[in-house]
């Protein structure tokens, strides 16, 4: 049972004065761009190597001797422009760009999150992550990500009210969760349950109806913690705790996780705020693997529950959100500080796998979220005592940051390196860590999904390929 409770007074209901819901807004015109407020100017998000307007890339095709001018906008060329470059071969459909794993291909324009991986900068809608982690609530950030501006008090109160009153799930969803085996991984339960919500809300398929989008977004934000907590209680063999509408978002989640016979659960305010900060840190991270999955699946115009479940599935993987779980497993295998140098050698030789919680596709310096998490760990450990594995983690970081293998590859701790230690000190089981990440990432997935949907340039996501298989051959069955 997580050590999330305390006899200390609960965290104040910061900016959380529930008010009755107003009448539902009138449905907007189909595919109305109005439904997403205008994106704020990209004040801080300078595109790399921005070129003056009218500039172009001159490409000389040595196969034909022809020269092409490809326009450069925002530091990018349009890959479809390359199609114009071709030979006289009738089978040649024009030049393609080849970019496995999207190492250098922008798949969209986005006004939501800005990252400068070299400088270690992360901003949501222009606000530095450090300031949001210090001052904002998670639901304030959720609103900001979707709408582009911080909510007014009235907007915030209404939003909190809407979320609070949609935390219950249909009783059949509870039965669905009860159908899993006792040892089911909570991410597998979360993934299928989020997808399953589509069956409970068929009208969510009207994705170009703003009212439907609003309610689906509220439902996903409100019900994900409930599903997560139910999956936790199911695995533990404990009775499900229903949402308590008197509590804040995070306190209610902790209540559903840890409440036993008390009439009202009182969360430890330090734990509640620490978890809220971790949710904020995870809330969005531009076009990462899970967000790209949500955008890609959503581009088929499926309902948001199905689209977002693709994000949960992607997050489950050990190279993405599953890394927080793997960090703790790795530390426990290392066992002791004295074994760290030997372990680092096995990583460098390739025998010991990767140093989990290290490295990032975008950050080539210290992940700014990891800095905040490290500080947060100190605050939590002050209450629960220092985690026995912290020493090993600190030694891993110390050695890796002074080792040429890691520094030359610009491998630094990422957000997952220390989060697991905090989660475990709150007594969350290791396989629940990625679920906590998913709760935090939900607002980002939803904001990105809606931005994709309302972007007139987007179409169904469908990459090209370079065919490497056999040429045509006649069918000769090998069956007898
Ligand atoms: N430990 C050891 N070596 C590493 C690590 C690591 N954690 N990460 C990368 N490398 C090495 C690679 O072996 C490669 O070396 P090489 O050039 O000699 O072949 C080089 O660094 C570049 O690695 P890539 O795999 O090309 O980097 P990529 O950008 O594709 O991968 C990733 C990024 C997946 C995050 C990677 O660093 C990794 O696997 N890290 C461990 C898992 C992890 O912590 N994931 C969480 C990421 S944060 C998040 O999703 C929330």
């Amino acid at each position: 049972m997580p050590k999330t409770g305390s006899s200390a007074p609960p965290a104040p209901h910061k900016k959380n004065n529930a008010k009755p819901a107003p009448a539902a807004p009138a449905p907007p015109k189909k595919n109305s761009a109005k439904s997403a407020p205008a994106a704020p100017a990209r004040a801080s998000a300078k595109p790399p190597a921005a070129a003056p307007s009218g500039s172009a890339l001159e490409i000389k095709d040595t196969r034909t001797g022809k020269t092409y001018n490809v326009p450069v906008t925002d530091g990018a060329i349009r890959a479809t422009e390359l199609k114009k470059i071709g030979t006289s071969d009738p089978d040649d459909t024009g030049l393609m760009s080849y970019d496995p794993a999207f190492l250098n291909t922008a798949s969209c324009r986005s006004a939501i999150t800005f990252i400068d991986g070299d400088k270690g900068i992360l901003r949501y809608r222009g606000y530095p992550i450090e300031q949001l982690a210090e001052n904002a609530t998670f639901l304030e950030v959720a609103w900001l990500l979707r709408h582009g501006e911080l909510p007014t008090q009235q907007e915030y109160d209404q939003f909190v009210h809407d979320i609070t009153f949609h935390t219950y799930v249909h009783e059949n969803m509870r039965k669905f969760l009860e159908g899993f085996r006792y040892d089911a991984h909570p991410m597998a339960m979360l993934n299928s349950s989020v997808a399953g919500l589509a069956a409970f809300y068929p009208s969510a398929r009207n994705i170009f109806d703003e009212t439907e989008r609003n309610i689906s977004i509220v439902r996903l934000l409100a019900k994900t913690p409930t599903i997560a907590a139910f999956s936790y209680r199911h695995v533990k063999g404990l009775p499900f705790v229903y949402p308590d509408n008197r509590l804040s978002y995070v306190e209610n989640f902790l209540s559903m996780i840890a409440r036993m016979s008390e009439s009202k659960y009182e969360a430890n305010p330090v734990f509640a705020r620490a978890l809220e900060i971790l949710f904020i840190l995870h809330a969005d991270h531009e076009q990462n693997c899970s967000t790209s999955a949500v955008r890609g699946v959503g581009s088929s115009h499926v309902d948001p529950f199905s689209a977002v479940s693709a994000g949960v599935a992607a997050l489950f993987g050990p190279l993405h959100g599953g890394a927080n779980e793997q960090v703790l497993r790795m530390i426990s295998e290392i066992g002791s500080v004295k074994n760290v140098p030997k372990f680092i050698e096995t990583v460098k030789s390739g025998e010991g796998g990767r140093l989990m919680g290290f490295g990032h596709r975008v950050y080539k310096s210290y992940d700014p979220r990891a800095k905040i998490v490290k500080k947060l760990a100190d605050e939590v450990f002050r209450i629960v005592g220092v985690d026995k594995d912290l020493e090993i983690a600190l030694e891993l970081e110390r050695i890796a940051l002074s080792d040429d293998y890691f520094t030359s590859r610009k491998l630094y701790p990422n957000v997952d390196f220390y989060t697991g230690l905090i989660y475990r000190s709150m007594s969350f089981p290791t396989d629940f860590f990625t679920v906590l990440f998913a709760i935090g990432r939900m607002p980002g997935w939803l904001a990105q999904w809606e931005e994709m949907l309302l972007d007139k340039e987007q179409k169904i996501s469908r990459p090209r390929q370079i065919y490497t298989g056999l040429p045509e051959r006649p069918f000769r069955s090998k069956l007898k």
Side-chain angles (χ1 to χ4, degrees), residues 199-212:
F200 289 84
Y201 304 107
S203 63
R205 293 203 297 267
N206 299 324
I207 51 173
F208 291 113
D209 179 332
E210 188 186 8
T211 312
E212 285 295 344

Side-chain angles (χ1 to χ4, degrees), residues 101 103 282 285 288 315 318-324 327 347-348 353-362 364 367 369 405-406 409 411 414-417 437 441:
L103 287 177
H282 286 103
H285 214 232
N288 56 83
L315 196 70
L319 296 188
H320 191 15
N324 53 16
V327 170
V347 169
K348 286 161 60 177
R354 293 194 161 189
L355 177 52
M356 300 309 286
F358 256 68
H360 200 276
R361 171 62 59 79
V362 180
K364 299 303 168 199
D367 181 337
R369 301 168 299 174
Y405 175 93
F406 296 91
R409 288 171 178 77
L411 301 171
N414 59 49
V415 70
D416 284 328
F417 193 65
F437 190 156
R441 183 53 56 88

